[in-house]
Amino acid sequence: MQRLFVMFPDRGPGVGLLWLRLCVAAALCMPGTHAGGWLALCLLAAAMLTLGVLTPLAALMAAVGIFAQQAPWPQVVLPLALLMLGPGAYSLDARLFGRRLLGRRHPPFG
């Protein structure tokens, strides 16, 4: 995951990416928008986007689910923008795959 994104932005850009993830997840959970058997895919993608877990995969699933529902093109473009921008610092992806500071290790017998 680290190789997909240069960094996990925090502060203003990180809040913006969090807001984008939450808006896409809310759009997936709107009542009456699940045509056919896409309900499980949309709910799984919404849960993953809300938590920020495997965000590129979740954004791709969201784009496929929204495209299959024949939604207007701006709704399809938002998950794709999230796919290209990344999850941001306020996500589980940043905790799991973000950069870490390496501390000084103490010798075991010293």
Side-chain angles (χ1 to χ4, degrees), residues 72-96:
W73 69 270
Q75 289 182 358
V76 178
V77 173
L78 284 178
L80 294 178
L82 188 58
L83 175 71
M84 290 184 271
L85 290 172
Y90 308 114
S91 66
L92 289 179
D93 282 341
R95 293 284 180 204
L96 295 174

Side-chain angles (χ1 to χ4, degrees), residues 5-62:
F5 307 110
V6 176
M7 63 181 159
F8 294 93
D10 58 351
R11 297 186 186 107
V15 171
L17 287 170
L18 173 65
W19 182 250
L20 182 60
R21 285 195 339 256
L22 293 176
C23 288
V24 171
L28 287 170
C29 294
M30 295 288 288
T33 59
H34 303 98
W38 297 99
L39 177 65
L41 177 75
C42 290
L43 292 179
L44 178 64
M48 290 172 69
L49 286 172
T50 301
L51 296 173
V53 178
L54 298 176
T55 304
L57 176 65
L60 189 62
M61 288 171 29

Side-chain angles (χ1 to χ4, degrees), residues 98-104:
R99 297 188 185 271
R100 294 176 182 82
L101 292 175
L102 298 176
R104 185 175 155 221

